[in-house]
Amino acid sequence: MEPASTIIGRFGGVTKVAEIAGVTRVRVSNWKRPKAVGGTGGRVPQSHHVTLLTAAERLGIALTASDFLAPAAPPEVNL
């Protein structure tokens, strides 16, 4: 689920993000799971944004604050 999947991928996976964020791999994996099954619905918790942005800059990974925003829903089409 987005945007967590993209952000995790940019860092090279769940293990690397967990190390950076100081949480377990399960916690990071839950960022990619729907809320209905105990995940965050694709959202990276705000408490980790600054840590991940700082690490991305240090590691040369393209990441901005706007990358943490959920993608916009497509507009409804009335036929």
Side-chain angles (χ1 to χ4, degrees):
M1 297 194 79
E2 294 301 330
S5 292
T6 296
I7 292 169
I8 291 166
R10 287 185 189 172
F11 280 97
V14 170
T15 300
K16 184 65 176 175
V17 173
E19 290 171 1
I20 292 167
V23 298
T24 66
R25 291 179 304 168
V26 171
R27 176 82 42 102
V28 174
S29 292
N30 283 340
W31 299 350
K32 300 190 295 182
R33 298 178 72 201
K35 288 183 179 182
V37 293
T40 64
R43 297 188 184 270
V44 175
Q46 189 174 357
S47 59
H48 299 295
H49 290 193
V50 172
T51 300
L52 293 173
L53 286 165
T54 302
E57 183 176 4
R58 180 173 39 88
L59 297 169
I61 296 169
L63 188 68
T64 66
S66 64
D67 292 325
F68 290 92
L69 301 175
E76 288 188 33
V77 176
N78 295 322
L79 300 175

